Amino acid sequence: MSITYHAARKQFTLAGRNFSYIFHVTDEAYLNHLYYGAKLSDGADLTYRYQKCTENDYAGQIDGTPAKYTSLMPEYSQSNYGDFRAAAILIEDGDGAPVIDLRYSGHEILPQKPRIASGIPVARGGETLAVTLTDAYLNVDVVLYYTVYEDCGILTRRAEIRNRGRKPIRLKRALSVSLDFPDADFELLTLVGNHACERQVRKTPLTVGFVGVGNSRGMSSHHHSPFAALMRPDCREESGEIYGCSLMYSGSHLEQAEVDHGNRTRLLCGIQPQNFTWVLEPGEAFETPEAVLCYSSCGMGAMSRSYHDFFRQYVLPPRFVGQPRPIVFNSWEGMHFGFSQESLMHAIEGMRGSGIELFVLDDGWFGRRNSATAGLGDWTVNTQKLPGGLRAVADCCRENGMRFGLWIEPEMVNPDSNLYRAHPDWIIRAPGRAPVLSRNQCVLDLTRREVLDFIKSEMYRVISESGASYIKWDANRHLTENWSAGLSPERQGEVQHRYILAVYELAEYLTSSFPDILFEGCSGGGGRFDGAMLHYFPQIWVSDDTDAHERTGIQYGTGMCFPLCAQSCHVSGVPNIRNGRVIPLRTRAAIASLGIYGYEFDCNALPPEERAQIPADIAAYRRIEDLVLNGDLYRMKNTAESNEFSVALVSKDRSRAYAVYYQALNPHKNAPQVRINGLDDHRLYRIEELNLVLYGDVLRSVGIQLPRMHQDFDVCTLHIEAVSDAAEKREEMPEP
Ligand code: GLA
């Protein structure tokens, strides 16, 4: 049993493979957190941890905090009733009073996770605890849902706010998680960045006050990933305590740690309160997104592996999990908008027999889309560029042994488009103000039923007529004015959340209408890479930065939370279009092999020897692909902290591994040394490239010396296999 309730103590215990999460109901009926951390003995009574403070205990101290809040660690923190820290919920009643006082009123242990009415994606799951807190004056319930994923050490949480009263209430903040810790001995790990520089790992020590990330962009964004982890200062890759929190949400979000005057920490996570209000009419409910909590006592690596298992098993569309994906060749970096039917066919024919299985026609195939300034929204083929239509391109793919894939950007419109000219009022804009443009485009107001229905039917038509078996869904700008002509003035704070719910409705409609089509998510690169998107898209384009060196940092950060089988990575041409860097093909291929592998480059500029190498590189990828799809990731070095990057992908039964070692600048001294984590200590393994046989513990603790590297940005890949014969055998090292 992963969820138990001890009635005499009024204590709830949630237990996963490696953690316990415990809270109880106090005498005053508050739901009070007691513990989250390493797994405790069954039946452990932690109610002693709660020492109720009375006014007498508090006599003489006049810092102004009501006594009970000096001892409470509320499971769902509330506002304006004595707790001065940032709260999970902020509500205004019909009188405008901002007070909420939530007390326990009941609970249920449900055999299955309940369905979500708003359509917001949550992880598939079983047994779920639902605890109801009630504000008796407002007649408002807050139901807290907890689902334990015992096998991967994960606990998910979300809240549902129900107005049972007679008057509307206004939600001004409705977060998914509030999690208190009695100390502040933490750093906050966050994933921050920018376009073409997504998810850089940042660690910030906590101090009194706030540390966190969040944005108001209406997308999970390149800038701040909806993820944060509280880690002990001694936490390392494979040791130490860490608490991860990943929000399954693609809109504006907040992840914030607060340390109070008493040196206690509160982690809050959920929908960004800036720009958010929600009017809840009598009888209505508001569902927050789900947050995925992960505790590890064995470092960041173990946390990441738990998340990877969880997303693979419970979030990604099951029909794609563990399945090899097509090796794609994408037209974007090589051709941008400047292609013709002839040049596309030339590229496709040029890749015949290379092992590439699917050609993706990226942006530029529709309307007057000859640059980013026009045509977005006009989803009819540009017959000047493609006189034979998409059919001709798809046929050419088929004749050359490839399938066909297509790029769409359904949520957006250029003002210079027929769609905009016909419906200038269909965009998100504020009355009386010129719309703010970004990449020359506006965001369609999908919160309006007529706009959403139009886009649904347009996209259905485009996809069904295209002959595509792969769709790349892009979204290249963020939300600004946050006003909708379809909502009353008091509901304008709902625009961003309603927008993302509409995106989910569209994604659900299209992915379920075309279940055999592989949808790849994208948002100006990796600007909407989050757990909710992974519910629809089994893979997401990691970044518009395809330079292999930069990709080591971006893929390192992305892998903190998301599995490699969700990370789309392409080998691109050199000099890199973004930074001009020239990196050897073997390095570009090795770094791209740590994800869903593909290509995008200018065929005309491709050196013949690189073209000739593609079949071998694809075959090499196919050899380790099952480790990308299903294996465990072990990180040994990363370019965020050093000149080197090295990881190992290890099969679940530990019989095989694939390791990649990369060195940025060649220091011209000793040959690189590398340790390999994740293997069985007492098993012998053969390292094919070095002709070495060593025990797993030797590989982990002593390590191996690699052949000397002779240039910058070089790489060494290792294929490691357990040998059945148990005798340790060490052969000569090759000469460096
Ligand atoms: C975004 C994507 C690119 C490409 C372009 C097309 O930037 O990330 O891969 O599809 O849009 O405009």
Side-chain angles (χ1 to χ4, degrees), residues 89-91 161 169-174 276-278 286:
I89 186 166
L90 189 51
I91 231 167
I161 297 131
I169 55 166
R170 180 187 286 270
L171 287 175
K172 295 174 80 179
R173 175 184 272 249
F276 172 85
T277 55
W278 195 273
F286 181 85

Side-chain angles (χ1 to χ4, degrees), residues 195 198 222 330 332-333 336-337 362-364 369 372 407-409 439 441 472 474-476 522-526 541 543-544 578 600:
H195 173 242
E198 295 88 341
H222 315 80
N330 180 298
W332 180 247
E333 276 207 13
H336 288 111
F337 299 101
D362 208 282
D363 196 355
R369 186 76 171 161
W407 179 97
I408 56 172
E409 193 178 358
R439 209 194 189 209
Q441 64 196 56
K472 177 175 168 187
D474 211 340
N476 276 311
C522 178
S523 174
W541 181 230
S543 177
D544 276 352
R578 212 158 272 286
E600 58 182 284

Side-chain angles (χ1 to χ4, degrees), residues 8-21:
R9 291 181 207 141
K10 298 191 191 159
Q11 180 184 295
F12 296 91
T13 302
L14 312 177
R17 184 184 62 194
N18 64 331
F19 72 85
S20 301
Y21 184 106

Side-chain angles (χ1 to χ4, degrees), residues 213-215 219-220 224-226 247 249 251-255 270-272:
V213 289
N215 74 57
M219 306 256 174
S220 43
H224 292 149
S225 192
L247 189 67
Y249 192 56
S252 303
H253 57 92
L254 174 78
E255 292 72 30
I271 296 175
Q272 169 65 251

